[in-house]
Amino acid sequence: MSKRAYNFNAGPAALPLEVLQKAQEELVEYRGIGMSIMEISHRSSQYEELNAETQQLLKELFAIPDGYKVMFMQGGASTQFATIPMNFLKSGQTAGYVLTGAWADKALKEAKLFGETKIVASSEADKFTRIPDLSGLQLDPNLAYLHITSNETIEGSQYQAYPGTGSIPLIGDMSSDILCRPVDVSKFAMIYAGAQKNLGPSGVTVVIMREDLLADSPKHIATMLRYDTHAKNDSLYNTPPVYSVYMVNLVLKWIKENGGLTAMEKRNREKTDLIYQAIDGSGGFYRGVIEPGSRSIMNITFRMQNEELEKKFAKESEQHGFVGLKGHRSVGGLRASTYNAVPYEACKALAEFMADFQRRNG
């Protein structure tokens, strides 16, 4: 096999090699049925079995308590930004948002199209270099829900602990950090995530929802944009993204075989520590963007003395087999996305390249 690149792309992102090999092995014929998984009917017993198994695997790995529904939807997290207020923001209520960066801001902008919103906490004044302290949060009882973005992919910040919201439903966008560590799902009324960072390829969006939220789905919105449509039909109301769900299934099995979420967190911390140590030990040659207490174990953002040096770093890194280290176009700088499937060896190689680049350019 040709040498695989060190893939630090922010999404679509690295997939485990074992998962890709299994998918390759089953691509033409899935489990002896004479067809590819991409060719079978979503009404077939084979797909229904895969659909149920994938939901069950997610419940098991993420320790999802009873009383929650797992749904596979389409349209990415960006569609959820609008679907959430459409379903849950009723007249006379306000939707609460914590503003932590670009993705939280996008979610807020969509909600504003449907009703009253309120920024409950924000780190915008600090240029989104930290997650706001929510430990003493006092919430208006009239809030329809509180929305947070668990991990800001662009800025590189991540919640270290989630707020208690009492009777106010907590909704979390976990697109870029779902399954990177154990989470107390019972704190949330809803968790959602586009698959293309930690769960599989793009095309499917996972929604985990407390069942009581489904009881009062508004009847005036489009059928496909109502959560109860997908819940009642077990995510089979229309043709699902069959291949994406299949890939999520393989990724979940890979996580399970590799020790589950406790092992994933340990591994993620060990590998990201290598890169953070390269930044912190560089004497200012590299500068971390995010305050240490809010640093992400999924997206590591850093800067250098000037943009010319950053461009040189990005160009040379590509020549050494590293992919995706340029920062997001909206903020510049450099970023290494270290999702579950990015191996320790890739992070070690990056830390060594960073030290070598500093020796030659410092």
Side-chain angles (χ1 to χ4, degrees):
M1 179 182 271
S2 59
K3 185 179 185 299
R4 280 173 58 78
Y6 296 124
N7 184 355
F8 289 98
N9 275 327
L15 285 161
L17 180 58
E18 300 93 319
V19 165
L20 294 170
Q21 288 168 335
K22 180 70 175 170
Q24 180 184 41
E25 183 191 311
E26 293 188 328
L27 182 68
V28 176
E29 187 175 358
Y30 175 70
R31 299 184 185 177
I33 63 171
M35 287 181 286
S36 169
I37 189 78
M38 286 185 276
E39 299 175 287
I40 69 172
S41 165
H42 64 291
R43 305 289 178 208
S44 66
S45 60
Q46 291 92 347
Y47 183 72
E48 285 191 1
E49 189 183 308
L50 176 77
N51 186 52
E53 183 186 77
T54 310
Q55 290 176 21
Q56 192 50 46
L57 273 166
L58 187 60
K59 284 178 179 176
E60 181 190 330
L61 280 169
F62 212 24
I64 299 172
D66 290 342
Y68 283 78
K69 189 82 180 163
V70 173
M71 293 172 270
F72 301 131
M73 295 176 69
Q74 298 178 60
S78 295
T79 301
Q80 295 299 315
F81 296 163
T83 312
I84 289 162
M86 283 172 84
N87 280 264
F88 303 128
L89 181 51
K90 295 182 173 59
S91 177
Q93 288 186 312
T94 305
Y97 282 76
V98 181
L99 200 54
T100 46
W103 289 109
D105 188 47
K106 284 186 175 180
L108 172 65
K109 280 178 176 152
E110 291 296 303
K112 283 179 176 174
L113 301 172
F114 297 96
E116 290 299 312
T117 60
K118 179 183 182 182
I119 297 172
V120 170
S122 173
S123 55
E124 189 171 16
D126 298 316
K127 297 183 176 168
F128 299 128
T129 55
R130 62 180 181 86
I131 297 290
D133 178 14
L134 302 178
S135 55
L137 199 59
Q138 297 291 313
L139 294 175
D140 179 345
N142 198 39
L143 283 185
Y145 57 82
L146 179 68
H147 180 283
I148 64 169
T149 306
S150 178
N151 184 84
E152 286 284 0
T153 321
I154 292 174
E155 286 79 10
S157 63
Q158 185 180 31
Y159 281 77
Q160 307 306 308
Y162 297 114
T165 56
S167 61
I168 309 291
L170 179 63
I171 296 179
D173 175 0
M174 290 194 187
S175 292
S176 53
D177 69 345
I178 193 167
L179 304 187
C180 78
R181 58 188 179 182
V183 162
D184 180 2
V185 174
S186 70
K187 280 195 155 189
F188 291 85
M190 174 183 172
I191 290 168
Y192 66 97
Q196 66 275 12
K197 322 270 191 186
N198 249 2
L199 286 170
S202 61
V204 63
T205 307
V206 169
V207 173
I208 300 161
M209 187 175 291
R210 217 171 57 209
E211 286 171 6
D212 62 284
L213 264 68
L214 295 160
D216 196 19
S217 262
K219 305 293 184 272
H220 64 277
I221 60 176
T223 307
M224 276 298 289
L225 297 172
R226 283 169 46 183
Y227 290 111
D228 66 344
T229 301
H230 302 280
K232 283 174 189 166
N233 292 279
D234 210 20
S235 303
L236 297 170
Y237 176 77
N238 70 326
T239 309
V242 170
Y243 198 74
S244 296
V245 174
Y246 161 73
M247 289 296 288
V248 169
N249 180 280
L250 295 186
V251 170
L252 294 175
K253 284 176 178 168
W254 174 82
I255 292 172
K256 187 176 176 178
E257 284 158 14
N258 284 277
L261 300 198
T262 304
M264 283 294 134
E265 179 175 25
K266 181 174 183 287
R267 186 177 132 136
N268 287 328
R269 292 199 184 280
E270 283 170 357
K271 71 193 192 194
T272 52
D273 278 351
L274 295 171
I275 302 169
Y276 281 125
Q277 283 163 12
I279 294 167
D280 295 341
S282 71
F285 184 79
Y286 301 108
R287 295 190 322 277
V289 174
I290 299 297
E291 290 182 13
S294 296
R295 281 174 168 178
S296 170
I297 55 169
M298 294 284 98
N299 309 99
I300 300 170
T301 50
F302 57 102
R303 302 297 307 238
M304 297 168 75
Q305 285 127 313
N306 56 62
E307 281 188 34
E308 285 311 304
L309 204 52
E310 289 170 356
K311 282 177 185 166
K312 187 180 182 188
F313 180 95
K315 189 177 177 188
E316 281 193 26
S317 71
E318 285 171 11
Q319 291 162 357
H320 284 77
F322 297 95
V323 175
L325 290 173
K326 278 184 191 165
H328 190 271
R329 61 189 179 277
S330 65
V331 294
L334 298 155
R335 169 178 61 178
S337 294
T338 51
Y339 302 120
N340 287 351
V342 175
Y344 181 89
E345 296 70 34
C347 295
K348 186 168 182 281
L350 177 56
E352 286 167 359
F353 172 76
M354 288 168 74
D356 179 59
F357 186 85
Q358 183 179 353
R359 272 194 296 274
R360 291 182 287 107
N361 294 277

